[in-house]
Amino acid sequence: MIRAYLFALDPTDTQLEAMRSHCGAQRVAYNWCLAQVKANWAQRAAEQTYGLTGDRLTPWINISAYSLRKAWNAAKDVVAPWWKENSKEAYASGCANLATALGNRKAGRAKMPRFKSKRRARPTCRFTTGAFGLGADRRHVKLPVIGAIRTHESTRKLARKVEAGAARIRSATLSFQRGRWHVAFSVEVDQPASVERAGGRVVGVDLGIRSLAVLSTGETVPNPRHLDRAQKVLRRAQRQASRRRGPDRRTQVEPSNRWRKARARTNRVHTRVGNLRRDTIHQFTTRLVRDH
């Protein structure tokens, strides 16, 4: 069974720059490969308008992860002469992600992938080879080139499984989400034997708005309304942000540093509300599974 273990990180300033660089390298490789694919398809479409068919057309570009990575390696010295600053896995991650996206398009599960924006796209980078894993002190994780990064919480839950031979780390994904950096380990763990619940109790659940849920046993689970409780702090943070000089795309005005700080305070409030909601639902569903 494959499970994911997510850990928040507390990197140093130097590690922050290295993490941003790796995620940017992944985006550059992704966009370059996508440009090659679109150029190849556009070339074939143009040749068909001239009446060319069959072998006279430009051959299809191979969109497998291996072929895209091979093409990137052949052009990286020209496209990105700074590529040695980052792990090779950053560029391989971009090629693999594009291959997956194109495969989903071919299967009808998604539309044509778009170029990743530097501002809008979530910074992310995946490592599948190299020196990555858990630190010996259970408070650090290791990533290629970046080194040992301190975690915000202990990694003992995963470390115990790895030391006991009950888990094997397959990959590590670095990402920036919910206002801070995280690393997610894809772990292959042994499937635990299902435990028969005492009494075979069954419960029906009706999800609501005024209340979080109503159970068939007659119990009503109240809605904690985390957003309502945070409105006072949120309104203050939003008013402060509105009085700062924000970005303007029409006039190409850059936001002020005070606006960035005020916006970060607003984002922290939303992040806290989201975390509280996830924790509430997680505790509720865990109790249902344990008791029924």
Side-chain angles (χ1 to χ4, degrees):
M1 180 175 65
I2 305 299
R3 295 187 62 182
Y5 288 80
L6 182 70
F7 299 102
L9 303 176
D10 290 330
T12 63
D13 292 340
T14 303
Q15 291 173 338
L16 276 175
E17 291 299 325
M19 290 156 69
R20 294 192 187 101
S21 179
H22 276 73
C23 295
Q26 187 265 5
R27 177 181 53 81
V28 169
Y30 180 97
N31 288 342
W32 182 86
C33 292
L34 180 57
Q36 301 304 307
V37 172
K38 287 190 171 184
N40 176 262
W41 293 359
Q43 178 66 25
R44 287 181 59 89
E47 292 173 353
Q48 289 175 353
T49 62
Y50 300 142
L52 301 180
T53 57
D55 295 338
R56 301 174 63 186
L57 292 172
T58 299
W60 287 103
I61 187 173
N62 193 327
I63 60 174
S64 67
Y66 173 80
S67 298
L68 293 176
R69 183 174 181 178
K70 186 176 181 180
W72 164 261
N73 288 334
K76 62 185 179 183
D77 289 328
V78 177
V79 178
W82 38 263
W83 66 270
K84 293 183 180 179
E85 299 176 3
N86 305 300
S87 170
K88 63 179 182 179
E89 286 297 298
Y91 311 103
S93 173
C95 299
N97 289 348
L98 178 60
T100 301
L102 293 173
N104 291 335
R105 174 189 178 273
K106 185 177 181 180
R109 293 188 294 267
K111 297 181 180 180
M112 181 66 184
R114 299 180 180 181
F115 291 105
K116 289 191 175 183
S117 169
K118 185 176 181 179
R119 295 183 178 180
R120 296 184 179 181
R122 172 184 292 181
T124 180
C125 178
R126 187 173 70 252
F127 302 91
T128 57
T129 61
F132 67 88
L134 304 177
D137 60 352
R138 300 184 178 181
R139 288 309 301 265
H140 290 79
V141 295
K142 297 179 294 183
L143 295 177
V145 178
I146 302 175
I149 309 173
R150 183 171 176 82
T151 57
H152 190 69
E153 56 190 333
S154 175
T155 62
R156 60 179 178 273
K157 186 175 181 180
L158 175 58
R160 289 169 180 170
K161 293 181 179 294
V162 173
E163 293 171 0
R168 182 178 66 89
I169 299 177
R170 302 168 67 249
S171 65
T173 302
L174 180 69
S175 64
F176 184 80
Q177 53 182 312
R178 300 193 294 275
R180 68 184 310 157
W181 288 92
H182 296 77
V183 62
F185 290 107
S186 176
V187 183
E188 183 179 352
V189 297
D190 296 337
Q191 176 69 35
S194 59
V195 179
E196 183 177 354
R197 303 303 173 184
R201 294 188 297 271
V202 178
V203 66
V205 183
D206 181 20
L207 302 180
I209 298 177
R210 293 185 178 181
S211 58
L212 182 62
V214 178
L215 306 184
S216 59
T217 58
E219 178 186 357
T220 299
V221 182
N223 188 343
R225 299 189 179 277
H226 298 298
L227 182 59
D228 292 345
R229 296 183 179 182
Q231 281 300 320
K232 183 178 180 180
V233 179
L234 182 60
R235 281 195 295 265
R236 184 185 299 114
Q238 289 175 335
R239 283 197 300 267
Q240 291 177 350
S242 66
R243 290 194 291 266
R244 309 292 188 256
R245 190 191 70 199
D248 192 335
R249 292 185 178 180
R250 294 182 303 171
T251 59
Q252 301 299 319
V253 174
E254 291 293 327
S256 65
N257 290 332
R258 297 182 69 193
W259 180 88
R260 296 180 191 275
K261 293 179 181 179
R263 185 62 181 271
R265 284 193 290 269
T266 304
N267 291 340
R268 283 197 293 270
V269 177
H270 285 295
T271 299
R272 174 175 168 76
V273 171
N275 290 339
L276 289 172
R277 284 174 169 173
R278 275 185 291 272
D279 182 66
T280 300
I281 295 175
H282 179 63
Q283 291 190 29
F284 171 60
T285 53
T286 301
R287 180 167 67 89
L288 287 180
V289 173
R290 184 180 63 247
D291 298 341
H292 299 87

